Amino acid sequence: MAERETWESRLGFILAAVGSAVGLGNIWGFPFQAGQNGGAAFLVVYLAVVFLIGFPAILMEFVVGRRSRRNPIDAFRELGHGAWAVAGIVGTFTAFWILSFYSVIGGWVLRYLGGSVTGAYFGDATGYFNAVATGPEAVALHAVFMLLVIGIVAFGVEDGIERSAKVMVPSIVVLLLGLGVWASTLANAGAGYEYYLSPDVDVIVNNIASILPSAVGQAFFTLSLGMGAMIAYSSYLGRDDSLPRDGGIIVIFNTLVGLLAGFVVFPILFNLGIEPGSGGSGTAFKTLGGAFGQIPSGELVGVVFFFVLLLAALSSAISLLEVVTSFAVENTSYSRPTVAVGVGALVFLLGVPSALYSDYLMWFNLLAYDLFLPAAVLLLALFIGWVYPSGAVDELTQGSGVSATFNTVWLWFVRIVIPAGILLTLVLGVQELLVVGGVLESAVFLG
Ligand code: PFF
């Protein structure tokens, strides 16, 4: 086996991890989840979940990755607990599974980027979406998106992932800020902010059963948890970094980008009197697409928006492919480029049904979001909290200088709060499953 790669710099790791976290989930999913779940009410619950469950959970993945310096499956063997590789297997499988439809949506984004230049979707945004979301062209664009992802991952950790993240992540932030400033000039932007930022306690209390599962699912998804991505990325770290500090930066950065996306989306919707979150994601493409058709300079705004979305989707997709690639590179004699192409081709095939039939995409997403992903995080929390606590705390301490109290509090969050949050979510989620309409709304950010 060739010598294992490492990040060139700490900043490179942080940018790559932020690139993984910031994706369709933030720019697309988050404002629409918020729209479907009462706006500011969702925001409050989501922020609490991100810091109380998401932050401790990302540290669990960092601990496993950096201590083992192995891919997310072999990591557990390396730590002396081979049976728990099941947690890594679930995560790696989920990465593979999610990438298959994430890439189909990446293909839609490519399509809409082109459509913004030509104005193709401006006249009849709904008809356009229905025409292009599935079918042979959707398959072709899914293939193009996968080729871009494979191209980056084939170059390796430092030359592919790190280098591309150093360009993509700052571009996302700058362009999104520009869009936010532009959106603030729209008439009725104030009503958008109000909806987004003024929580109504009654709405939270009355709807907690539907808000909480959505918020937990969104927090895991957006922080790239439960799919081995953060294990894989942290496995290329040196030992002298502070995991809590880097984790904190990544969580805060990712949250700010999600918030910023809301500052772009809600003023646009309120400007045109569109009900936020009506429908789901397909509707998201339709609603925003329709909005770009109606506002002044819509072409330019559309191009910038979908370009940002493309960068965000790419920098996330590469981390999903890296999970499976790192496992295959470390367990076969094939070179990284060969493995990236081979794994990428399999992911492409798995995604073909989602590119042909929207029901497949919906069910792929539903299963991943509601089942695989919480299961993987739960397994990891049980492992770290109850099987491997002293090794985990030892690793967390390396290079961090955090106090013993921090470690103890973290451990109890891992032992109790994360599993309780997931179990509660599963129970509430199942309750919702009983109401079929509710299932689709709560679990599918894409719809
Ligand atoms: N965090 C990404 C998003 O918000 O779109 C999605 C994602 C990427 C999830 C990578 C998981 C992952 F491993």
Side-chain angles (χ1 to χ4, degrees):
M1 199 191 342
E3 191 170 327
R4 213 158 189 279
E5 285 194 85
T6 53
W7 303 107
E8 195 224 345
S9 67
R10 174 178 165 232
L11 180 68
F13 161 68
I14 291 179
L15 288 177
V18 168
S20 169
V22 170
L24 294 168
N26 303 60
I27 299 174
W28 206 243
F30 174 69
F32 282 90
Q33 284 265 11
Q36 285 180 337
N37 288 290
F42 179 80
L43 187 61
V44 171
V45 179
Y46 169 77
L47 288 178
V49 169
V50 161
F51 288 98
L52 295 178
I53 297 187
F55 176 57
I58 204 171
L59 295 183
M60 309 190 303
E61 297 212 0
F62 285 173
V63 158
V64 171
R66 189 177 70 173
R67 194 164 184 85
S68 66
R69 298 198 179 174
R70 286 282 173 279
N71 63 75
I73 294 180
D74 295 319
F76 294 88
R77 243 166 260 140
E78 184 73 21
L79 300 181
H81 296 275
W84 285 86
V86 64
I89 292 171
V90 175
T92 304
F93 171 76
T94 309
F96 189 75
W97 177 272
I98 288 192
L99 183 54
S100 77
F101 66 82
Y102 203 82
S103 165
V104 173
I105 302 161
W108 295 352
V109 175
L110 282 170
R111 175 94 196 201
Y112 271 74
L113 186 55
S116 307
V117 177
T118 60
Y121 61 80
F122 283 8
D124 174 12
T126 303
Y128 184 79
F129 182 81
N130 293 339
V132 303
T134 50
E137 287 184 35
V139 175
L141 287 166
H142 161 48
V144 173
F145 186 84
M146 274 314 297
L147 282 175
L148 294 172
V149 177
I150 292 168
I152 297 174
V153 171
F155 273 100
V157 175
E158 196 180 321
D159 292 339
I161 300 175
E162 182 168 356
R163 199 174 277 179
S164 66
K166 281 180 175 165
V167 177
M168 291 199 275
V169 172
S171 310
I172 293 169
V173 173
V174 170
L175 293 175
L176 207 53
L177 274 174
L179 283 174
V181 171
W182 165 83
S184 72
T185 65
L186 291 172
N188 231 3
Y193 297 147
E194 162 98 20
Y195 173 79
Y196 187 38
L197 299 175
S198 314
D200 179 338
V201 178
D202 285 346
V203 174
I204 302 181
V205 173
N206 294 334
N207 297 289
I208 193 71
S210 63
I211 295 179
L212 196 63
S214 304
V216 173
Q218 174 68 17
F220 287 159
F221 190 82
T222 188
L223 289 171
S224 301
L225 298 173
M227 285 161 254
M230 292 301 177
I231 298 184
Y233 274 13
S234 58
S235 75
Y236 303 118
L237 269 179
R239 213 109 297 141
D240 48 356
D241 281 355
S242 163
L243 296 179
R245 189 190 48 197
D246 289 1
I249 293 174
I250 292 160
V251 170
I252 289 172
F253 209 116
N254 178 62
T255 309
L256 288 178
V257 175
L259 288 174
L260 185 54
F263 278 93
V264 175
V265 170
F266 289 114
I268 296 179
L269 297 184
F270 276 80
N271 178 252
L272 297 172
I274 298 170
E275 176 79 8
S278 47
S281 81
T283 322
F285 271 89
K286 294 172 207 161
T287 351
L288 270 187
F292 294 152
Q294 293 176 46
I295 43 183
S297 331
E299 291 93 341
L300 180 63
V301 176
V303 168
V304 176
F305 182 83
F306 285 110
F307 185 62
V308 170
L309 207 55
L310 179 65
L311 295 181
L314 265 179
S315 58
S316 297
I318 56 179
S319 69
L320 289 168
L321 187 61
E322 178 60 22
V323 171
V324 192
T325 301
S326 66
F327 173 73
V329 166
E330 286 171 18
N331 285 282
T332 65
S333 55
Y334 296 111
S335 69
R336 170 176 273 272
T338 310
V339 166
V341 171
V343 174
L346 291 176
V347 170
F348 166 74
L349 289 178
L350 185 66
V352 169
S354 296
L356 290 177
Y357 310 101
S358 53
D359 277 1
Y360 274 90
L361 196 151
M362 188 189 74
W363 281 107
F364 266 64
N365 186 37
L366 195 71
L367 282 169
Y369 216 77
D370 265 5
L371 211 61
F372 302 159
L373 206 148
V377 183
L378 183 61
L379 283 173
L380 193 61
L382 295 177
F383 170 70
I384 295 278
W386 299 101
V387 179
Y388 194 64
S390 51
V393 165
D394 181 57
E395 187 61 31
L396 193 67
T397 314
Q398 302 275 334
S400 81
V402 287
S403 66
T405 317
F406 179 93
N407 293 336
T408 311
V409 172
W410 173 71
L411 196 57
W412 283 101
F413 266 74
V414 170
R415 284 180 167 165
I416 307 288
V417 179
I418 296 178
I422 295 177
L423 289 175
L424 189 65
T425 299
L426 286 175
V427 172
L428 294 176
V430 168
Q431 246 177 29
E432 269 218 309
L433 278 173
L434 300 176
V435 189
V436 173
V439 178
L440 302 185
E441 255 175 49
S442 77
V444 181
F445 80 89
L446 307 163

